[in-house]
Amino acid sequence: MASYISVQYLKDNAPYLDLSHYSDTTTSGMISRASEMVNNFTQRDFMVQNLTAEKADTVVDTQGNIVVYPRVVPIQSITAMKVVYGTVEVDLTVTQNGVTVFDIPEPKFRAVSPNESTLIMTGPTLLDFKYLLQYETYTELDYRGGYTDVPEDIKEATLLYALDMFSKRQNLSGAQSITQGGVSISYGTGGGGRSDFVLDAETILMKYKKVA
């Protein structure tokens, strides 16, 4: 997968880190794994991309609106969507008269289809989306999502995950801290045996974590 930070970003933001024993290729691979850790914790993906027929988590709220939670955020645009319940598939209108009928509220992590039968394009007629509450429901959608410019806090969390991996490699003796070039680096652990690097990364990422 593509990485949220570059090797140069790591070097610039962690100048105390001794990378003399690592090639840029090895370092890049570890950064890629750190980026995967960001995705795994948040259950999302933030790299800009086009997706086709993605099965997305879906709920029907108390007003009967269909609320869709795609994997890649923020949602930039939706080109097609259908709701699937049981063995039935129903296509939903994405635009009417050139106007997008879905609401994509900030921070654009979900799309809301209003409970209106006028949105039905083909297939069975749904007079009220509340009818879907009795079924296991999901949506398939074609859309474009992700950040063109990855936010700095996601980069910072990726850096922290990378530092956690490097610290484990460089601290084989299990020391609590070491000093490099006058800089002291702590290897303390917190909840669940996770390092402070990981705990700090998770704190940063909580606002991005998927809740559906």
Side-chain angles (χ1 to χ4, degrees):
M1 63 166 287
S3 299
Y4 296 129
I5 63 174
S6 64
V7 173
Q8 190 60 52
Y9 183 97
L10 175 66
K11 293 177 178 179
D12 290 344
N13 288 274
Y16 49 82
L17 192 63
D18 182 6
L19 297 174
S20 60
H21 300 294
Y22 303 96
S23 67
D24 281 357
T25 299
T26 299
T27 301
S28 179
M30 294 178 71
I31 289 173
S32 179
R33 289 196 293 276
S35 300
E36 290 179 6
M37 294 171 73
V38 170
N39 290 357
N40 290 339
F41 178 76
T42 60
Q43 301 179 55
R44 298 187 185 277
D45 191 330
F46 305 98
M47 197 64 66
V48 64
Q49 55 195 286
N50 297 314
L51 299 103
T52 303
E54 177 185 291
K55 290 184 178 180
D57 293 335
T58 305
V59 297
V60 179
D61 66 20
T62 55
Q63 286 75 45
N65 303 312
I66 295 176
V67 186
V68 182
Y69 296 86
R71 178 177 59 88
V72 181
V73 294
I75 304 167
Q76 294 193 19
S77 61
I78 298 173
T79 54
M81 181 182 292
K82 66 181 176 182
V83 61
V84 181
Y85 60 100
T87 59
V88 180
E89 298 181 357
V90 179
D91 292 319
L92 302 179
T93 299
V94 174
T95 60
Q96 288 181 328
N97 300 320
V99 178
T100 300
V101 297
F102 286 97
D103 183 23
I104 308 178
E106 293 291 342
K108 299 186 177 182
F109 290 176
R110 71 187 191 278
V112 181
S113 175
N115 186 12
E116 299 175 4
S117 59
T118 55
L119 298 184
I120 301 303
M121 289 173 54
T122 61
T125 299
L126 288 174
L127 297 179
D128 191 331
F129 287 167
K130 291 180 182 178
Y131 175 77
L132 300 173
L133 288 170
Q134 61 186 305
Y135 292 99
E136 289 286 338
T137 303
Y138 67 89
T139 57
E140 287 188 5
L141 68 160
D142 300 347
Y143 70 107
R144 181 172 177 81
Y147 290 102
T148 302
D149 296 311
V150 177
E152 192 61 34
D153 52 358
I154 292 178
K155 292 181 180 179
E156 182 180 354
T158 306
L159 173 66
L160 288 166
Y161 278 127
L163 289 175
D164 177 66
M165 287 188 286
F166 281 109
S167 71
K168 289 176 180 176
R169 287 196 175 197
Q170 296 181 1
N171 185 34
L172 299 180
S173 64
Q176 292 297 308
S177 64
I178 64 172
T179 299
Q180 294 182 348
V183 178
S184 179
I185 305 174
S186 174
Y187 296 133
T189 58
R194 292 168 295 172
S195 74
D196 291 342
F197 290 130
V198 170
L199 293 174
D200 288 347
E202 291 178 353
T203 298
I204 291 170
L205 293 171
M206 280 303 299
K207 70 178 183 180
Y208 295 101
K209 190 173 176 65
K210 198 170 187 179
V211 295

